[in-house]
Amino acid sequence: MIDNIKRIKEEATGRITSAPDVEELERLRVHYLGKKGLLTSLLHQLKSLTPEQRKEMGAVLNEVKTEFETTITARQQQLDDQRINQEIEKSPMLDVTLPGQFVSEPGSIHPVTRVTEEVIEHLKRVGFSLASGPEIELDAYNFEALNMPAHHPARDMQDTFYVGGPVLLRTHTSPVQIRTMKNRKPPLQIISHGKVYRSDYDQTHTPMFHQMEGLMVDENISLADLKGVVNHLVKALFGSKPVRFRPSYFPFTEPSAEIDVHFGNLGWLEIGGCGMVHPKVFEAVGYDYEKYSGFAFGLGIERIAMLKYGITDLRSFFENDLRMLEQF
Ligand code: FA5
């Protein structure tokens, strides 16, 4: 048997190292190492030997098998290198040391991200810090604690996507006010931004959009503080455009106002809502409304971006048309 193994080994090593291509190499692998290959059938013959012979022959055969596998891998590598070198020679113009070509323009920062970052940077400078909350929210935080119990007509102001039961996609960033106040004591000065969802779709409304919420609570906070912060922010965003606080209604603030900015021929345009935190909201989070007062505002980021960059259709922010995005 040992002679037979020696003979097979010599023959196989010669044939493998001179295999002309990968197809022949694969044929040789099957011939020697495949299920019905020569080496495999020798391994089967071990059964007929005595235990000592089987041990000795088994070790020799396994060693030969490993050698075959190593020789085949080495030849495979040689053949691959040869093929690559031939391909390179076939195309003499290829110079791999030349710098690569740009296949497209570098990316740019999306206008929604730009405006978000600009607003955060400004509000951080005047003392606000970031807070966050989930996009999939509970009715209790999105409506109930914001003074909108079940069947309150104000719920219709925001056309809601319900996930099921008391769970919904938040319609505004105001539930973050509730989550923060429930976990922290005044004084508070937070901002929170992110995606919100409503069943809306037209030139100035999309089903998903971004809001930036601001909340400040302490003793003696007044409407003058709210106006100061908002005026300062609008000035930072739009320069010296006039700002107007138009009386409005939100169940969670009293008094409430819309924030309008004047844009030449376009007239007054709304960028968000605001007001003094309603005592019912303080009651829901366990704050003493006799002692504390506060203001809150919620801005539409896309609306600000539209006005800042002269975009007429809010939906274009989410169509990913490169001709539009490349301008930023
Ligand atoms: C609110 O969502 C209130 N939570 C804001 C608020 C916060 C008031 C704190 C008082 C205190 P409103 O539904 O008006 O308010 O939305 C605020 C802004 O989001 C709007 O002024 C508008 O700029 C933007 N907005 C509303 N709906 C859409 C929409 N479908 N697509 C894009 N922007 C929208």
Side-chain angles (χ1 to χ4, degrees), residues 238-311:
F238 299 111
S240 54
K241 297 253 182 304
V243 188
R244 166 175 93 175
F245 291 80
R246 175 168 43 90
S248 185
Y249 171 74
F250 296 104
F252 35 94
T253 46
E254 179 59 36
S256 305
E258 304 285 0
I259 305 163
D260 295 340
V261 182
H262 197 268
F263 288 85
N265 297 341
L266 297 174
W268 291 102
L269 295 169
E270 175 196 315
I271 60 161
C274 65
M276 300 305 292
V277 181
H278 198 290
K280 284 268 188 195
V281 173
F282 281 153
E283 205 173 64
V285 296
Y287 278 13
D288 179 356
Y289 58 80
E290 300 280 351
K291 184 171 176 197
Y292 296 108
S293 54
F295 68 75
F297 58 86
L299 307 171
I301 295 291
E302 285 79 3
R303 293 281 175 83
I304 296 175
M306 276 176 92
L307 298 168
K308 232 174 131 56
Y309 302 118
I311 291 159

Side-chain angles (χ1 to χ4, degrees), residues 157-158 171-174 177 198 200 204-209 211 213-214 250 252-253 258 270-275 296-300 302-303 314:
M157 289 161 76
Q158 306 174 352
T171 54
H172 51 174
T173 40
S174 301
Q177 289 184 30
R198 293 183 198 177
D200 277 345
T204 51
H205 296 83
T206 47
M208 182 283 297
F209 61 102
Q211 282 192 345
E213 190 86 6
F250 296 104
F252 35 94
T253 46
E258 304 285 0
E270 175 196 315
I271 60 161
C274 65
F297 58 86
L299 307 171
E302 285 79 3
R303 293 281 175 83
L314 196 148

Side-chain angles (χ1 to χ4, degrees), residues 145-180:
L146 286 162
N147 194 24
M148 281 182 275
H151 312 300
H152 192 290
R155 287 187 176 212
D156 293 343
M157 289 161 76
Q158 306 174 352
D159 216 341
T160 311
F161 290 116
Y162 284 92
V163 174
V167 183
L168 43 81
L169 297 186
R170 68 178 180 188
T171 54
H172 51 174
T173 40
S174 301
V176 184
Q177 289 184 30
I178 303 299
R179 287 182 175 272
T180 314

